Amino acid sequence: MSDRKVRMGIDVGGTHTKAVAIDNATHEIIGKSSVKTTHDDKAGVATGVVQAFQNCLRENGIDPKDVIFVAHSTTQATNALIEGDVANVGVIGVGPKGVGGWIAKAQTNMKDINLGSGRFIRLKNRFICDENLSDQLVTDTIKSLVGDGAQVIVASESYGVDDMENETGICKIAKDMGLEATAASEITKLYGLTRRTRTAAINASILPKMLNTANSTEQSVKSAGVEVPLMIMRGDGGVMEISEMKKRPVLTMLSGPAASVMGSLMYLRASNGVYFEVGGTTTNIGVIKDGRPAIDYSNVGGHRTYISSLDVRVLGVAGGSMVRADKSGVKDVGPRSAHIAGMDYAVFTPEEEIVDPKVVFFSPKEGDPADYVAIELKSGKRITITNTCAANVLGLIKPEYFAYGNANAARKAMQPLADYMGKTVEEVAEQILTRAYEKIEPIIMELAEKYRLEKDQISLVGVGGGAASLIGFCSDKMGLRYSIPDNAEVISSIGVALAMVRDVVERVVPNPTPEDIRSIKAEAIDKAVESGAAADSVDVHIEIDPQTSKLTAIALGSTEVKTTDLLKECTAEEARQLAAEDLKEEPSAIKEECATKNFYVFGTDRKGKHPVRILDKKGFIKVQRNDGKALLCKAGSYRNVVSQMWEELAIYQQDAILRPDYYICAGARVMDFSGSVDLDKIMMLMEVEMQMINPSDDVIIVGAKNSL
């Protein structure tokens, strides 16, 4: 075993499974490997995960004993639900007698869950009055459900979130009988019996398939000589140990997009942005808000669940999307892609092969429109024109990007289409990318509105192999900045390798007290540690939703304490330059408002407003606000500053008072207290956090005005 420590990340994509090895100390990529995703193998995608992992070790001379972290994303949960590869679920509802029992019975009496395309999760239902609950009655009920075809069991009690004893007891009996089982309150602590039961049923339905894959992958990684626990990417951007995934596999939905987002965050210096993950067939678009990916509850078959995952929009337009056209011009781009049609891109076809090209209109798959464009060559081979071809023709893709190809080859293939339309090749290329842009722009604006991103704060981040084919054109049209991180084609694997352990606890707590907050914080830390985090690395972010009385604790931690970061510390002048670029001002117009050993705050005056930016010493912009104020004070006097800003930064309107958001830079953390309109609740949250800080330490208080 050498002194070098290695982190391994493996991303399972629709076409390829890619592994990346990263030096833990420097975060330098020291190895890459890619294999075709093994959808049809008897062990499923697990075989490809192990192949990519072992190839990466062997090809780069990495000793398995040097690997301190290994994690992979997975498409298994999403694919199982899309394809209907699910188990039949037996639901045992539990409730009191009387009216409460009738309501609980109705709410746990679940209908089959429609997964779309005629596929369903089949549900069988039973109800037990809690006064009659006994081991024998539970055993008999489970036998009855199995007789009806149930393969897994869900236990869901009306007030199980307050006391899980009955749910866990039922699950223990089911497991003793050789069945997998899910306790609804183990998946979520939120009230809403129907939704909680449905979420648990979805989780239970994929348990058998996910367990087979997990066990196969875990065994294979161990046989390769790696002794650290195997981690799995969650759909909300964190990782958890495989032992936890075996209980809650549904949390891995949208694991793949989550991996790309977390990889993007390693390189993104702005705290607010919209990311593109551009593949060959689809583009995933989502939001990074205040340095964190936007999270929402997933829909399955049109039904809301309590499954937290990235809020992602999936579009059928990407790097390999094919063109639909007629004499009048380009009608559409996608959703059919060259990959699905089994055709080569013109831009990746050797130029000498493109002889006597002719336009052919056809239907790639049964049921597709018959106006998709193919180019038939003298040899009889057919190739096609894509967004990537158009972007290369227009010179939008630099040689260092994965999507860079032979622009002359693309021109030769597009010429007959241009002649058919009576246009130039450049005009055709412009039309192709414009049709793609027309699908993408509304999604970006919808997400920006939903998450209240100011347009001048948005930075587009392109990841995935096809990013360069779309992002430059779209950003120019919208007047936005954009970036494509290094290693964008393997950004998902990087995200997996560098991901933090994440867990979330949610409860409905009207008027929470400091003790409620401490309690949920401690529970979140415990869950993160159970999921594989080192206890002393866990940080918890608390959110209070006054409208729903929902109290949320989000815990993030490392599998080992991080000692380095991707970038070296920047000087005050370098930080000023970064702030100036983000604010689109000259550095001379930027004022350093406050600084501590870990943070800078810069601001400028603009048309009656005072935009501020909080930067850490690595140059990452942690907070971007369009109108705010920052003050340096001792931790012991933060209350006075917060109370002063509460009135000073308030905006009075005819029918409302808009109160400010707050951020506190303390130690190495930026604590976010935005979103609450109750000063007492804000102070209570702050008190829980600030009691751990020495009263004589310097902290920065930032208040930011809100607007409708």
Side-chain angles (χ1 to χ4, degrees), residues 514 518 638-639 664 673 681-692:
R518 278 189 283 270
Y638 78 90
R639 284 178 167 271
I664 298 181
F673 301 99
K681 282 190 172 66
I682 292 171
M683 288 292 196
M684 183 172 58
L685 285 172
M686 290 180 176
E687 179 64 29
V688 172
E689 300 294 342
M690 297 295 284
Q691 65 185 359
M692 305 298 293

Side-chain angles (χ1 to χ4, degrees), residues 234-237 250-251 253-255 294-299 307-312:
R234 293 163 52 117
D236 60 10
V250 75
L251 297 184
M253 283 178 58
L254 290 177
S255 174
I295 305 289
D296 203 351
Y297 294 124
S298 297
N299 273 283
I307 303 161
S308 289
S309 62
L310 269 72
D311 190 4
V312 174

